Amino acid sequence: MPSTCEFQLNNSNAVYYSGEVVSGAIVLKTLFAKDVRDIRLIFRGEGKVSWTETESRKHSDGTRTNESVNFIANEVYMDNTTTVHDEGILRPGTYTYRFEIPLPEETPTACEGRYGHIRYILALMLRRPSCFDNTFSKPLTVIKSQDLNLNPDFRIPIVTENIVNSCCWSCLSGNINTILKVPFGGYAIGQRVKFSVIIQNHSMTDIHSYTIEFIRRMTFTARSPHQRRRHDLTILHTKIYDNRCKPWTMSNFDGDFPIVSTPPSTEGDSILRVGYSLKVTFHMGGFSANNNNNSLSLPIFIGDVPLRESFVTSEDMESDRFIDAAPTAPELFSDDPDLPPSYQELCPPSFEEAIRSGSPFIDIDKDEHNRHIGFRPLYPMYSQSDD
């Protein structure tokens, strides 16, 4: 029977926030003596990006060939290594190695994508002098908190509109003015986002339905052999509304959608960035569904602590006043403006696995026994109302 290793963490769900301390013990059990150079306890956080493209290369003789180019990038956020056993014979028995590892405040959120990931690994490595090293590892979720209450811009409603001149269609005239709005610019995972669609149809064109899509956009930036970006779009929610707006009429439609377990939006210039948008596509008679002129899109920032104003009850979600009333800032702070906001009215979030990627990233630099293919981080979910 081979050696076994058990990871005992102070947080049983293996979820930590930046600035917290990862502590616990790693219990190693071995039935046979092992000759080791040393045993190391490793905690490493890093971002990796990698994909392959085919590029045409021109040679000195004027000919061209297609070559595969591997685009890569790497960022190390922390690399903590401690030797817990020196060189010698590791005799059969049970060994307990305790640890306390503080996380830096700026460690980015763990994230898994198609062309890369940000991942944190706790590992015990037995370095062997005459054979392969034995490595036992466990991925952890680390979250850099995005408290929406700390940015007043997220309390501002987001509105976008588009005016389509129907003269681009044969024998038609007039304009169609479409407006999309949401009451806040930021929401937390688990909330439901309410939106409003307004159509002013000053044309002879019939709008017979519209589709909403909540889209996640991951941007991967490679830095070698030269800088290159690649995007991956995932539709997290979609729904068709059979709401009709006849020619020369005005219509106002409301709806809402849930924010599933997904990584929060990212800021800065990391090699892996995450953003979200709400897109509405209008289906019109004689108008191509692929034409961008008949769609609207607006950005939505996803955090992990909801705005107090946006955290509404089921009754609020059914109220027309919610979408019409401009948000006003409540008294988030006490007499001391430097104190953080109070969230006593919010229940603690649950933690749910991120939705599975259709094509998970495989880190070929890792030993095949320690790649953890398909690992899904846990993100905080605020349950707002029943479906």
Side-chain angles (χ1 to χ4, degrees):
M1 179 180 178
S3 301
T4 61
C5 193
E6 179 185 359
F7 294 85
Q8 300 175 352
L9 300 172
N10 60 323
N11 289 353
S12 58
N13 60 4
V15 177
Y16 296 87
Y17 284 88
S18 299
E20 291 187 339
V21 175
V22 181
S23 64
I26 299 178
V27 180
L28 174 67
K29 296 181 181 180
T30 180
L31 299 179
F32 305 99
K34 294 178 179 289
D35 187 12
V36 298
R37 289 190 291 169
D38 59 37
I39 300 177
R40 298 181 177 185
L41 193 155
I42 302 170
F43 188 86
R44 185 176 176 87
E46 63 181 333
K48 283 193 173 183
V49 163
S50 177
W51 70 86
T52 300
E53 294 184 15
T54 300
E55 290 189 345
S56 176
R57 297 291 177 88
K58 184 176 181 179
H59 301 285
S60 58
D61 59 359
T63 61
R64 287 184 174 271
T65 59
N66 292 330
E67 298 180 5
S68 293
V69 180
N70 189 29
F71 291 91
I72 59 173
N74 177 261
E75 292 178 336
V76 178
Y77 311 117
M78 61 179 302
D79 192 358
N80 188 309
T81 301
T82 303
T83 300
V84 295
H85 190 285
D86 293 327
E87 183 177 7
I89 301 297
L90 182 70
R91 302 191 178 281
T94 300
Y95 299 86
T96 301
Y97 305 110
R98 302 191 179 278
F99 58 87
E100 287 189 358
I101 304 170
L103 297 173
E105 292 286 348
E106 295 302 313
T107 47
T109 298
C111 178
E112 299 287 324
R114 184 174 183 179
Y115 303 111
H117 63 209
I118 295 174
R119 186 177 285 187
Y120 298 84
I121 295 290
L122 179 63
L124 188 71
M125 176 183 289
L126 283 67
R127 300 206 307 154
R128 310 291 301 278
S130 57
C131 57
F132 292 110
D133 297 337
N134 296 138
T135 302
F136 305 91
S137 61
K138 180 179 179 62
L140 280 64
T141 300
V142 174
I143 299 171
K144 181 181 179 182
S145 183
Q146 297 276 14
D147 187 344
L148 301 174
N149 295 277
L150 301 182
N151 188 339
D153 291 343
F154 294 139
R155 300 189 182 99
I156 301 174
I158 304 295
V159 180
T160 185
E161 64 180 304
N162 184 31
I163 299 177
V164 178
N165 189 334
S166 62
C167 288
C168 60
W169 311 313
S170 60
C171 302
L172 298 177
S173 62
N175 294 329
I176 300 175
N177 187 18
T178 56
I179 300 173
L180 171 64
K181 62 179 181 177
V182 295
F184 303 99
Y187 291 84
I189 307 165
Q191 288 190 277
R192 299 190 71 90
V193 180
K194 192 168 184 180
F195 63 89
S196 182
V197 176
I198 300 172
I199 304 173
Q200 298 171 336
N201 190 357
H202 303 298
S203 76
M204 295 299 295
T205 301
D206 186 16
I207 300 175
H208 55 80
S209 62
Y210 67 91
T211 301
I212 71 150
E213 295 174 321
F214 181 54
I215 302 171
R216 181 181 67 202
R217 179 187 179 95
M218 287 189 172
T219 301
F220 306 87
T221 302
R223 296 171 179 163
S224 177
H226 52 264
Q227 182 164 301
R228 178 72 62 87
R229 286 188 174 88
R230 192 160 189 173
H231 306 285
D232 184 41
L233 300 182
T234 301
I235 299 175
L236 301 178
H237 179 83
T238 184
K239 184 176 180 179
I240 298 176
Y241 290 80
D242 294 325
N243 298 99
R244 185 178 179 184
C245 184
K246 297 180 180 180
W248 303 102
T249 64
M250 175 178 175
S251 300
N252 190 338
F253 307 119
D254 295 332
D256 65 86
F257 63 91
I259 301 175
V260 298
S261 183
T262 186
S265 301
T266 56
E267 298 177 302
D269 193 26
S270 174
I271 60 175
L272 199 167
R273 300 180 63 186
V274 183
Y276 297 87
S277 63
L278 173 63
K279 181 180 180 180
V280 177
T281 301
F282 301 94
H283 306 290
M284 309 175 185
F287 199 79
S288 172
N290 296 321
N291 194 317
N292 290 330
N293 286 335
N294 66 329
S295 65
L296 288 172
S297 181
L298 54 77
I300 295 180
F301 191 92
I302 303 302
D304 66 288
V305 178
L307 288 169
R308 289 178 58 181
E309 301 95 322
S310 70
F311 199 82
V312 296
T313 63
S314 300
E315 291 77 12
D316 293 327
M317 289 296 294
E318 297 172 358
S319 172
D320 292 336
R321 293 177 298 174
F322 176 69
I323 194 70
D324 295 331
T328 57
E331 295 181 359
L332 289 178
F333 303 95
S334 64
D335 293 337
D336 186 349
D338 294 327
L339 290 178
S342 172
Y343 306 112
Q344 295 179 355
E345 70 274 23
L346 297 181
C347 295
S350 60
F351 288 88
E352 295 186 13
E353 286 186 340
I355 61 170
R356 185 176 296 279
S357 172
S359 180
F361 175 71
I362 299 176
D363 186 358
I364 60 175
D365 295 331
K366 296 291 185 183
D367 177 85
E368 62 180 353
H369 301 294
N370 290 284
R371 285 178 181 168
H372 300 287
I373 299 175
F375 167 69
R376 293 191 286 174
L378 297 169
Y379 298 118
M381 294 281 292
Y382 286 88
S383 179
Q384 188 165 327
S385 61
D386 296 332
D387 292 335

